[in-house]
Amino acid sequence: MTSLSRDNNREPVINNSLYDYSIKELVDKSMHSENIPDNNKLIKVFSYFDNLLQDKNFSYISDFLDKVLSVNIVEIISGEDEEIYNIFEVLNARGQKLRQIDLLKNHIMKYVQPRAGTFIDEAERKWRVILDNASILNDPDYMIHHFAKCYIDKNAENKDSVYRLIKDEIDIQELGVFLDKLYEFSERYKELVSGLEHNSLTKYFKIKNNQQVRSLIVAIYVLLNQNIIDNSLANDAILQIRNFFFNFNVTRQTSNQTDSLISSASYNIYHCKTETHFKFILTDLLLKCKEYIQGYDLSQVFTTNRTFQYSNVDHSLRRNAKLVRFILENVYNLVQIDNCISIDEMTIEHLISDNGHEPSIFLWNLTLTSEVLNNSLGNRPIEEKISILKKSILY
């Protein structure tokens, strides 16, 4: 493999000091059937293709080699940073679709002001942090989409069009401020996502995979971080939002009905400057949310909603385990005052033995017990189970 130097002279890439030793080591060790050290920079790539090709016949390997040798890699070298961003944008318009976050980076680094070296270095440092904070997501474009909902009073059609929205709505002169705000938002976003599973207020959204509400919660986190609201008010707000979505999902409505409402509230909360203003926005949001569940008999629809039923026998109900455990956990947190229970160590037990049918699958027939106690209860009659549970120190 060769490359063009700045003087347009071809030079072997294998001479690149970054990979030269690793390539030669792979060749040498392979030729002598020796183990390749784990610290070889190309060991994962080599292992992948070694496993892929070891059982293939000669014809397959020959075709594979022809494909590899037919690949052309073009390296374009430029001494000017701005020219690099221009080339990137032009080539992307003709090539494979890139992520929104990659397009946004190119746009910001191309136009962010001032163009002084120290400022650009700091901008690049902030972007590296933003990427690191987004790395906990399967798709970092979700974070950019949620930030745009908070920062821009106009919604992208979807996360795949958010770059175009930002490019159209944010003036080039404002990109420096935009980057600073995205940097701050990414810190709070990482705080939310990394703690979803362990925070009792946000765990529900993790269980239901409700990403729609993240823009709203992160907006609250931002205000908390800026000391506009205190921790008690922030937690109470998130609790009210969680409780609404729990009731909303009980009625089996689809979350896209509330998209516009949540986006508008995210923007308004993110931009509010006082605690009083925050309370007005939150109250308005909750009043509008209430309209979605008015007219429903929540007790009745809760009873008939199979999402809140659980069975080890019926596989379609087994997937409800996390939600059922969450509900039972919150019930116990309200009524259990004499013991400290580690919910993560508890298992779901059916009082009327599980047969996959009513009434054994209903929530009122379920409780949480330790795994040891659960095993000892087995399929005993309900009277015996209750007697054993009453005598136990800890369910």
Side-chain angles (χ1 to χ4, degrees):
M1 185 180 296
T2 62
S3 175
L4 287 178
S5 68
R6 290 183 179 272
D7 300 324
N8 290 329
N9 295 320
R10 287 194 172 274
E11 55 185 20
V13 174
I14 197 172
N15 288 336
N16 186 319
S17 59
L18 186 62
Y19 296 110
D20 183 42
Y21 179 80
S22 294
I23 294 174
K24 291 178 179 177
E25 184 179 52
L26 283 174
V27 174
D28 182 63
K29 297 293 184 182
S30 300
M31 294 291 291
H32 294 87
S33 299
E34 298 178 7
N35 291 331
I36 299 169
D38 291 337
N39 62 356
N40 186 290
K41 294 177 181 178
L42 300 174
I43 180 62
K44 291 184 178 180
V45 176
F46 176 84
S47 298
Y48 172 80
F49 285 108
D50 185 45
N51 292 330
L52 175 69
L53 299 174
Q54 63 180 345
D55 297 327
K56 305 300 183 183
N57 57 35
F58 177 81
S59 177
Y60 182 96
I61 296 176
S62 177
D63 290 342
F64 175 81
L65 186 59
D66 288 341
K67 292 291 185 183
V68 171
L69 295 177
S70 67
V71 172
N72 292 308
I73 299 175
V74 178
E75 182 180 21
I76 301 174
I77 300 173
S78 173
E80 300 294 331
D81 286 346
E82 187 169 341
E83 187 61 27
I84 292 174
Y85 302 128
N86 286 331
I87 293 170
F88 177 88
E89 193 163 7
V90 170
L91 290 179
N92 181 64
R94 298 180 172 90
Q96 184 177 359
K97 183 178 179 181
L98 291 180
R99 299 179 304 179
Q100 300 293 290
I101 196 169
D102 296 321
L103 295 169
L104 181 59
K105 175 196 174 182
N106 183 69
H107 179 68
I108 290 175
M109 294 308 165
K110 178 180 177 181
Y111 293 113
V112 70
Q113 304 290 333
R115 301 304 295 174
T118 54
F119 185 86
I120 297 300
D121 290 343
E122 178 63 9
E124 290 178 345
R125 183 196 68 80
K126 289 178 180 177
W127 191 264
R128 286 194 295 271
V129 175
I130 291 169
L131 284 180
D132 181 67
N133 290 338
S135 66
I136 60 176
L137 304 171
N138 292 328
D139 186 350
D141 286 347
Y142 278 112
M143 186 182 76
I144 304 299
H145 189 211
H146 292 149
F147 174 65
K149 287 186 176 184
C150 290
Y151 195 77
I152 302 173
D153 190 16
K154 185 177 180 181
N155 288 331
E157 293 181 7
N158 52 59
K159 71 177 179 64
D160 295 324
S161 60
V162 69
Y163 164 67
R164 179 56 57 186
L165 172 69
I166 293 171
K167 189 175 180 181
D168 291 343
E169 297 295 322
I170 304 300
D171 190 86
I172 289 176
Q173 303 301 322
E174 300 175 8
L175 284 177
V177 175
F178 177 87
L179 178 61
D180 288 340
K181 295 299 184 181
L182 176 56
Y183 173 84
E184 177 191 29
F185 185 90
S186 74
E187 295 279 62
R188 305 288 75 79
Y189 199 93
K190 181 179 180 180
E191 178 186 346
L192 169 65
V193 175
S194 60
L196 277 175
E197 200 162 354
H198 309 290
N199 186 326
S200 61
L201 292 175
T202 58
K203 183 189 294 185
Y204 175 73
F205 299 115
K206 170 71 172 180
I207 294 171
K208 296 296 291 184
N209 194 30
N210 186 332
Q211 297 192 36
Q212 169 209 41
V213 77
R214 288 183 185 178
S215 60
L216 182 58
I217 297 178
V218 177
I220 294 173
Y221 278 19
V222 169
L223 296 193
L224 177 61
N225 187 62
Q226 295 174 349
N227 295 318
I228 293 175
I229 60 176
D230 61 24
N231 196 63
S232 176
L233 181 55
N235 286 342
D236 184 59
I238 296 171
L239 176 63
Q240 296 298 325
I241 293 167
R242 185 202 71 183
N243 289 347
F244 160 70
F245 272 101
F246 183 88
N247 288 326
F248 180 80
N249 289 329
V250 166
T251 64
R252 287 178 276 197
Q253 299 181 68
T254 55
S255 60
N256 60 359
Q257 296 181 61
T258 61
D259 277 347
S260 178
L261 180 62
I262 297 302
S263 294
S264 176
S266 299
Y267 175 83
N268 291 330
I269 287 176
Y270 180 83
H271 288 276
C272 84
K273 301 300 181 184
T274 67
E275 179 181 303
T276 301
H277 189 200
F278 171 76
K279 290 180 178 178
F280 272 113
I281 297 170
L282 180 65
T283 301
D284 181 65
L285 169 65
L286 294 176
L287 287 173
K288 290 176 179 177
C289 286
K290 184 179 179 181
E291 296 175 6
Y292 285 93
I293 55 178
Q294 280 183 329
Y296 284 92
D297 183 345
L298 293 177
S299 298
Q300 176 62 30
V301 292
F302 183 90
T303 303
T304 58
N305 192 326
R306 284 177 63 84
T307 304
F308 307 111
Q309 300 170 2
Y310 177 74
S311 169
N312 283 312
V313 177
D314 186 336
H315 287 211
S316 67
L317 298 179
R318 184 185 297 178
R319 62 187 179 187
N320 297 336
K322 289 185 178 180
L323 181 58
V324 168
R325 282 165 56 90
F326 170 81
I327 295 171
L328 293 175
E329 172 187 358
N330 278 272
V331 170
Y332 290 168
N333 285 338
L334 290 174
V335 300
Q336 189 80 31
I337 59 175
D338 58 341
N339 283 315
C340 179
I341 297 177
S342 176
I343 298 296
D344 292 336
E345 298 175 2
M346 307 296 279
T347 61
I348 301 174
E349 167 64 18
H350 291 75
L351 297 177
I352 299 175
S353 294
D354 181 18
N355 60 12
H357 303 290
E358 300 177 3
S360 70
I361 59 176
F362 287 142
L363 193 65
W364 55 258
N365 185 53
L366 306 175
T367 187
L368 295 178
T369 71
S370 65
E371 186 173 359
V372 173
L373 185 55
N374 194 322
N375 292 335
S376 69
L377 293 173
N379 289 320
R380 297 171 184 267
I382 185 173
E383 294 81 4
E384 290 186 31
K385 287 186 178 181
I386 293 176
S387 176
I388 294 172
L389 290 172
K390 284 183 177 180
K391 295 176 182 178
S392 66
I393 299 176
L394 179 67
Y395 278 16

